[in-house]
Every structure is written in structure tokens, then in C-alpha cells.
């Protein structure tokens, strides 16, 4: 079975590693606040868990050259961009207010660039 090469391999590795590491970082800093904070923060953390799970599934599907790997990767990128929007609008954490928009723009642009790349792939 052929393995992905080049950019597709990089995307598979990033999907399997980046979102879970980002979730772990956010969850470790939010654990103390989950007890005293609203259920909305807990729901958002659960949503980020789903985003990470879809990202890992997409990365593994790309790695193993599965039939719907590209579709799953597109869904993972859209979910990650949506999580970035929600994160910087409602749960900015310790991000300075002047940097929220640039950070959100970079994350959305990152996901959009990968999405456009996936649209160009003919399989």
C-alpha cells in the first residue's frame, strides 16, 4: 500500500500531532477552572476533544491511503478553524487582546491553506 509523500505526509503527521498537543496544553491549563467555571467551557473542551479525534482519524486515513481520507482531512481542517474562532472570541485565556485577531487569522489561514491544497489533489 503506497504511503503519502511530500506535503500530504506532512499534513498527516500534523493532523495526528498538532491538535492533540494543542488540546493537551489547553486541557492542562483549564482543569482547575473546570470545577468553578461554567458548563460552556466544559462543552468547548469536549468539542476540542472531538476536533482532535477527527484530526487523528484523518491523519491516519491519509497515512494509510484510505478512500475517504481527503474528505475526513477537509472536515478536520474546518473543525479546527471553527475551534480557533470560538477559542479566540469566547475563551481567549491569557492571550493579550491585541493579539487575539492576529492569532485567530493565522490559525484560520493555516487551516484554509491546507484545505485549498487538498482541493487541488486529484485522487
Amino acid at each position: 500500500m503506497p504511503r503519502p509523500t511530500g506535503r500530504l505526509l506532512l499534513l498527516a503527521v500534523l493532523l495526528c500531532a498538532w491538535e492533540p498537543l494543542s488540546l493537551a496544553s489547553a486541557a492542562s491549563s483549564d482543569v482547575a477552572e473546570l470545577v468553578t467555571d461554567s458548563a460552556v467551557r466544559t462543552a468547548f473542551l469536549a468539542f476540542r476533544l472531538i476536533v482532535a479525534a477527527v484530526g487523528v482519524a484523518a491523519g491516519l486515513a491519509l497515512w494509510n491511503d484510505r478512500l475517504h481520507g481527503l474528505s475526513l482531512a477537509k472536515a478536520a481542517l474546518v473543525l479546527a478553524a471553527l475551534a480557533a474562532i470560538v477559542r479566540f472570541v469566547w475563551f481567549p485565556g491569557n492571550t493579550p487582546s491585541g493579539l487575539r485577531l492576529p492569532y485567530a487569522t493565522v490559525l484560520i489561514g493555516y487551516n484554509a491553506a491546507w484545505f485549498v491544497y487538498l482541493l487541488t489533489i486529484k485522487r
Side-chain angles (χ1 to χ4, degrees):
M1 183 179 301
R3 297 282 184 225
T5 58
R7 291 184 207 136
L8 201 55
L9 174 64
L10 177 62
L11 178 60
V13 170
L14 287 172
L15 285 171
C16 286
W18 176 255
E19 197 61 42
L21 288 174
S22 174
L23 172 67
S25 174
S28 66
S29 66
D30 285 350
V31 167
E33 296 176 14
L34 288 178
V35 176
T36 60
D37 209 1
S38 69
V40 177
R41 183 178 293 274
T42 306
F44 179 62
L45 197 56
F47 174 69
R48 291 204 51 199
L49 179 65
I50 292 168
V51 171
V54 171
V56 170
L60 291 175
L62 288 175
W63 179 266
N64 292 317
D65 198 30
R66 298 290 184 221
L67 182 61
H68 298 292
L70 292 177
S71 299
L72 195 57
K74 290 174 190 174
L77 292 169
V78 169
L79 287 173
L82 181 62
I85 292 169
V86 171
R87 179 175 143 213
F88 285 109
V89 170
W90 286 287
F91 305 107
N94 59 2
T95 306
S97 61
L99 293 178
R100 289 180 196 154
L101 183 60
Y103 282 174
T105 304
V106 166
L107 285 175
I108 293 166
Y110 166 82
N111 287 301
W114 278 115
F115 190 88
V116 169
Y117 169 70
L118 290 178
L119 291 176
T120 64
I121 294 177
K122 304 287 186 226
R123 288 196 119 180

